[in-house]
């Protein structure tokens, strides 16, 4: 959109700047000139505008979301068709997605994670009551406004349950969403209901608490397989310090069987509210049930043993979905239900039958997944020769039907090189791959060149040249007889790469007309702003506004910066770096702390020196001890006690023994002088009395 002057949709919405690029649309910040407010404008990619199925999905997003009115749901105001494509006008949320928050700050405090999950659950209550399943609950679709409010966005692949069977738009077996947050039934292409959204919210809550999702793999197929087959590692095993009740809530959300999850989002919200109100432990029967569930696979008690066990040790069979909330309340007085995907059976024969049935189901699910994803990814379409089978060999994915940028990214992720050939095609849309060599399914060594043939549109349409070098772009355009005009601008892309074109790819344009292409000069140099003393959120925002990428954090003690605020950046403020350069934010842990050394029984001089060497300030008080005691001039006690962590510069009081006063202990020699005053010499005088 390079016309002179502002771009305005529907004579009302003036585009201000580009915000984001999603899976099927660009999002712009716009101003509603009629109501004088900022809005977000989502514009469907032109290549999708001619696809009826994509247009119908886009229309459904507008209609479904417009009917949802809740403080935790991004509002939809308007939608329409213009400039050969479709658009939606939405509430503009000034803030960041939870994905950005987790990337920049790491795991959240459990209470904050529970608050966010409760707000998302509140949004899902409204959506599910309206018959809408979101299908793509993930960190990227949870927005945190600058004022702290939580908003759920993007009902782009939501399907209205009511009427779905009538219009045929919900196709059984189709898989839509994001693999990291798939529910098991979503990964298998099964029909979904609100409990699938709750599973995805469980993945979100798990990731907010631990910093990583419960299942990770090298490919989306691998992640989806784990959602179906593997039990998630407990948060405690991952080293997360959190309350029993919150872990129980999270693990219940991640139950494989939908019947073992919360029956409704409102039930989840109630349990989260109880946790936030202080219910942090699972008392009595709930704790016993948790222990029994954890050990059920190892041993199942006999009926006699079960009858003799105390009531709190009995694990009731999981009730049907319709009665599950009442059963939960009766099992667990606190209202919390522990993750219990496969409750133990009390009869050996029943357990045996269950194991056999479970094994059969496991084999069936595995077979279904292999076939379904093989068809989805196009595996098996290659030549008979499978190629190398070494450990380092990789399998070439199905690229036909992909956009060239997606194909390039997928091959780069697999450590494969790409060679792109453009060819006119009157049927295949511009920039779509319609041939590849070697074929999908062939195993090759890393570094193998994969050649893809990409449609440059019909002979009378403008080919797509964004992402190409100037030489390639000029050649493609001049082949059609177009006059190439060039502009240059700074951009995050590699210098010499085409970043925009006007008209856009696929536009019908006669030979001899001009096509303007913009060439990247590479990233502009920008100064790093001084964010010292700012909060992490403010500092991150300022760095992003400056065109930088604050993607890592480190911690450091500081005498002057309060704990939690930013000390500075690496590289330091004032340095010139390329736009979009990664910046490390240094966060203060507060005043440095040291461990108080043990100084009791040490001579006072030695004790004082040791405290000073640790950065502490000794403060002496004295306590009288008997003359000649071993405690004279030694430390009798200290405060704070030894090994306590305190701030550098903290005062440590030491009590030192002081001998009693000397006069008190030297009186004895004076009293023993009595013999010198004895009267005996005088009493021997009587002989003088014999004079008469």
């Amino acid at each position: 959109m390079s016309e002179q002057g502002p771009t305005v949709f529907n004579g009302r919405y003036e585009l201000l700047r580009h915000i984001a690029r999603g899976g099927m649309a660009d999002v712009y910040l716009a101003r509603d000139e009629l109501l004088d407010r900022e809005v977000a404008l989502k514009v469907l990619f032109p290549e999708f505008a001619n696809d009826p199925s994509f247009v119908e999905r886009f229309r459904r997003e507008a209609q479904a979301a417009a009917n949802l009115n809740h403080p935790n749901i991004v509002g939809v105001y308007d939608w329409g068709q213009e400039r050969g494509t479709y658009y939606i006008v939405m509430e503009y949320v000034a803030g960041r997605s939870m994905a950005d928050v987790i990337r920049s700050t790491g795991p959240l405090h459990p209470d904050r994670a529970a608050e966010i999950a409760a707000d998302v659950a509140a949004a899902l209550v409204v959506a599910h009551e309206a018959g809408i399943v979101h299908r793509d609950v993930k960190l990227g679709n949870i927005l945190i406004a600058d004022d702290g409010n939580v908003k759920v966005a993007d009902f782009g692949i939501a399907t209205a349950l009511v009427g779905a069977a009538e219009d045929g738009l919900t196709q059984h077996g189709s898989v839509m969403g994001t693999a990291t947050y798939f529910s098991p039934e979503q990964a298998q292409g099964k029909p979904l209901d609100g409990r699938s959204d709750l599973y995805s919210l469980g993945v979100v809550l798990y990731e907010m608490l631990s910093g990583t999702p419960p299942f990770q793999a090298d490919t989306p197929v691998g992640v989806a397989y784990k959602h179906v087959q593997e039990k998630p590692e407990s948060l405690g095993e991952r080293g997360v310090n959190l309350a029993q009740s919150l872990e129980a809530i999270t693990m219940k959300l991640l139950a494989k069987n939908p019947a073992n999850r919360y029956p409704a989002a409102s039930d989840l919200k109630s349990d989260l509210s109880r946790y936030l109100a202080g219910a942090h432990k699972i008392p009595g029967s709930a704790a016993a049930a948790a222990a029994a569930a954890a050990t059920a696979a190892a041993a199942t008690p006999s009926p006699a043993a079960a009858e003799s066990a105390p009531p709190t040790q009995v694990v009731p069979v999981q009730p049907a979905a319709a009665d599950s909330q009442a059963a939960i309340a009766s099992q667990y007085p606190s209202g919390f239900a522990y993750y219990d995907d496969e409750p133990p059976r009390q009869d050996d024969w029943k357990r045996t039958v269950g194991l056999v049935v479970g094994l059969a189901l496991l084999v069936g699910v595995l077979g279904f997944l292999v076939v379904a994803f093989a068809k989805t990814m196009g595996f098996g379409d290659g030549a008979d020769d499978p190629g190398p089978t070494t450990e380092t060999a990789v399998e070439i994915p199905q690229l036909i039907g992909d956009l060239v940028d997606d194909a390039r990214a997928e091959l780069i992720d697999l450590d494969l090189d790409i060679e792109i050939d453009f060819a006119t095609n009157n049927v295949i849309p511009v920039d779509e791959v319609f041939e590849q060599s070697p074929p999908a399914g062939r195993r090759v060594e890393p570094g193998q060149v994969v050649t893809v043939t990409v449609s440059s549109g019909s002979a009378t349409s403008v080919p797509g040249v964004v992402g190409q070098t100037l030489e390639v772009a000029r050649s493609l355009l001049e082949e059609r007889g177009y006059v190439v005009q060039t502009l240059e601008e700074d951009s995050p892309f590699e210098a010499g790469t085409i970043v925009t074109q006007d008209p856009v790819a696929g536009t019908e344009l006669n030979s001899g007309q001009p096509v303007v292409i913009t060439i990247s000069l590479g990233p502009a140099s920008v100064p790093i702003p001084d964010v010292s003393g700012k909060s992490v959120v403010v500092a991150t925002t300022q760095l992003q506004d400056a065109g930088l990428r604050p993607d890592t954090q480190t911690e450091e003690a500081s005498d002057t910066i309060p704990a939690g605020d930013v000390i500075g950046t690496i590289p330091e403020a004032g340095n010139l770096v390329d736009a979009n350069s990664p910046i490390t934010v240094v966060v203060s842990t507060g005043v440095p702390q040291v461990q108080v050394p043990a100084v009791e029984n040490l001579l006072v001089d030695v004790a004082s020196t040791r405290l000073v060497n640790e950065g502490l300030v000794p403060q002496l008080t004295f306590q009288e001890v008997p003359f000649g005691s071993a405690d004279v001039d030694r430390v009798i006690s200290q405060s704070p006690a030894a090994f306590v962590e305190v701030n550098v510069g903290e005062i440590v009081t030491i009590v030192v023994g002081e001998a009693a006063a000397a006069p008190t202990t030297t009186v004895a020699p004076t009293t023993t002088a009595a013999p010198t005053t004895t009267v005996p010499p005088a009493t021997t005088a009587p002989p003088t009395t014999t004079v008469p």
Side-chain angles (χ1 to χ4, degrees):
M1 301 175 185
S2 59
E3 297 97 326
Q4 296 296 321
T7 301
V8 180
F9 276 70
N10 195 27
R12 171 177 178 178
Y13 305 110
E14 178 187 346
L15 301 192
L16 302 179
R17 61 181 173 86
H18 186 266
I19 298 176
R21 184 177 178 89
M24 65 180 187
D26 278 311
V27 184
Y28 297 87
L29 175 63
R31 175 166 295 282
D32 182 346
E33 296 178 339
L34 181 62
L35 299 179
D36 190 26
R37 65 179 177 183
E38 289 187 336
V39 295
L41 192 81
K42 179 179 286 189
V43 183
L44 188 66
F45 294 154
E47 57 264 32
F48 296 146
N50 295 324
D51 185 331
S53 64
F54 272 95
V55 171
E56 185 60 24
R57 283 174 57 196
F58 202 70
R59 182 186 66 81
R60 277 189 176 275
E61 175 178 356
Q63 291 184 340
N67 291 326
L68 301 178
N69 184 16
H70 189 271
N72 297 122
I73 296 178
V74 174
V76 172
Y77 304 139
D78 191 9
W79 83 290
Q81 180 179 6
E82 189 166 326
R83 300 171 184 266
T85 188
Y86 295 81
Y87 66 89
I88 292 179
V89 183
M90 304 177 296
E91 172 188 4
Y92 172 62
V93 180
R96 294 195 296 164
S97 72
M98 272 308 305
D100 291 336
V101 173
I102 295 297
R103 273 196 300 269
S104 61
T105 65
L108 304 183
H109 187 282
D111 288 356
R112 180 53 178 157
E115 289 172 354
I116 293 171
D119 286 342
V120 176
L124 292 177
V125 169
V126 174
H128 294 169
E129 288 177 351
I132 296 170
V133 182
H134 190 289
R135 293 176 179 255
D136 200 20
V137 176
K138 60 184 180 180
L139 290 177
N141 282 337
I142 300 172
L143 307 180
I144 308 299
D146 290 341
D147 59 4
N149 287 337
V150 177
K151 297 276 189 177
V152 181
D154 195 2
F155 282 79
I157 58 175
T159 302
L161 296 179
V162 290
E166 300 173 5
D167 55 29
L169 289 169
T170 304
Q171 299 179 3
H172 180 67
S174 64
V175 179
M176 299 161 64
T178 305
T180 300
Y181 305 90
F182 269 173
S183 64
E185 58 271 23
Q186 191 171 8
Q188 298 172 71
K190 294 181 178 180
L192 307 181
D193 58 24
R195 293 171 297 178
S196 181
D197 283 346
L198 295 183
Y199 182 95
S200 299
L201 180 53
V203 177
V204 167
L205 180 55
Y206 191 105
E207 190 169 356
M208 289 193 295
L209 291 167
S210 69
T212 56
F215 301 116
Q216 294 176 291
D218 293 336
T219 65
V221 175
V223 176
Y225 175 83
K226 289 186 176 184
H227 279 298
V228 175
Q229 298 293 341
E230 296 186 8
K231 187 173 181 178
E233 185 180 18
S234 73
L235 289 162
E237 290 171 338
R238 288 207 175 184
V240 180
N241 185 17
L242 77 167
Q244 293 176 339
S245 55
L246 186 56
E247 177 156 23
I249 290 171
T250 307
M251 302 309 285
K252 183 172 181 65
L253 287 170
L254 294 176
K256 305 297 182 191
N257 187 344
N260 293 333
R261 300 175 203 147
Y262 287 94
S266 56
D267 301 315
L268 166 63
K269 188 174 186 303
S270 296
D271 266 8
L272 288 169
S273 297
R274 276 190 283 272
Y275 163 79
L276 291 169
H280 288 177
K281 293 185 178 180
I282 306 177
S285 60
T295 59
T300 302
S302 65
E307 291 175 2
S308 63
T312 57
Q313 300 299 316
V314 176
V315 182
V317 175
Q318 177 70 35
D323 301 324
S324 59
Q325 188 62 19
I328 289 168
S330 65
Q331 292 176 42
Y332 310 128
S334 67
F336 293 109
Y338 192 85
Y339 173 77
D340 184 14
D341 206 9
E342 295 293 337
R345 300 171 178 81
Q346 297 182 355
D347 296 316
D348 290 342
W349 69 270
K350 290 182 179 179
R351 183 170 183 267
T352 302
V353 171
L355 288 173
V356 172
V357 172
L359 181 60
L361 287 174
L362 179 63
V363 173
V365 168
L366 178 60
F368 177 89
L369 277 177
V370 171
V371 173
F373 280 107
K375 289 180 178 179
T376 301
M377 301 300 293
F379 297 152
D381 293 339
D384 293 337
D385 178 14
T389 58
T390 63
E391 291 185 2
T392 59
V394 294
E395 190 170 285
I396 295 178
Q398 176 65 271
L399 303 173
I400 295 175
D402 288 353
L403 293 178
V404 62
D405 288 344
D406 296 336
R408 181 189 291 110
E410 191 167 2
L411 291 175
I412 290 173
D413 287 344
L414 294 173
D415 198 19
L416 299 173
D417 292 335
I418 184 171
E419 181 177 300
I420 304 172
D421 291 336
F422 285 90
T424 59
N425 193 305
N426 295 328
V427 177
I428 305 300
V430 173
D431 284 347
E432 184 174 309
V433 177
F434 63 89
E435 288 182 8
Q436 70 178 87
S437 179
R442 177 76 59 81
R443 293 186 67 81
V444 297
E445 293 296 338
Q448 170 78 35
V449 175
V450 178
T451 302
V452 296
T453 306
V454 179
S455 171
S456 59
S458 66
T460 59
S461 63
V462 178
V465 295
V466 173
Q468 303 302 319
T469 63
L470 174 60
E471 292 75 13
V472 172
R474 187 183 295 278
S475 174
L476 287 171
L477 293 170
E478 290 179 347
E479 274 182 7
R480 307 285 178 90
Y482 298 127
V483 177
V484 178
Q485 298 178 357
T486 60
L487 299 174
E488 295 180 332
E489 69 175 29
D490 296 326
S491 84
F493 300 98
E494 184 179 352
T497 303
I498 308 303
V499 291
T500 64
Q501 68 177 85
D502 182 31
V504 296
T507 302
E508 294 293 328
L509 189 68
N510 292 329
S511 175
Q513 296 299 310
V515 176
V516 180
I517 57 177
T518 304
I519 308 164
S520 171
L521 295 175
S525 294
V526 296
I528 301 175
D530 184 1
V531 293
S532 59
K534 306 290 179 60
S535 69
V536 173
V537 172
V538 171
T540 300
T541 300
Q542 289 186 358
L543 291 167
Q544 290 173 336
D545 289 346
L548 301 170
R549 181 162 45 90
D551 59 354
T552 56
Q553 284 188 20
T554 186
E555 293 184 339
E556 187 177 300
S558 172
D559 295 328
T560 57
I561 303 297
D565 287 348
V566 175
I567 298 174
T569 57
I570 303 173
E572 295 181 352
N575 284 321
L576 287 175
V577 296
D578 289 342
N580 202 40
S581 291
I583 302 296
T584 298
V585 178
V586 183
V587 181
S588 171
T589 57
V591 178
Q593 289 199 315
V594 295
Q595 198 175 69
V596 177
V599 295
E600 289 184 11
N601 298 320
L602 296 180
L603 290 171
V604 61
D605 292 342
V606 175
S608 297
T609 300
R610 184 168 296 182
L611 291 171
V612 170
N613 289 342
E614 293 293 334
L616 302 171
V617 178
Q619 179 173 288
L620 280 62
T621 61
F622 295 91
Q623 178 178 314
E624 188 175 274
V625 296
F627 181 80
S629 169
D631 289 334
V632 174
D633 289 337
R634 291 185 182 272
V635 177
I636 299 173
S637 64
Q638 66 180 87
S639 178
F643 312 120
V644 173
E645 294 280 347
V646 298
N647 292 338
V648 169
E650 186 88 4
I651 293 175
V652 177
T653 301
I654 54 176
V655 179
V656 180
E658 182 180 47
T664 304
T665 59
T666 56
V667 172
T670 303
T671 58
T672 57
T676 61
T677 60
T678 54
V679 183
T683 56
T684 56
T688 59
T689 59
T690 57
V691 175

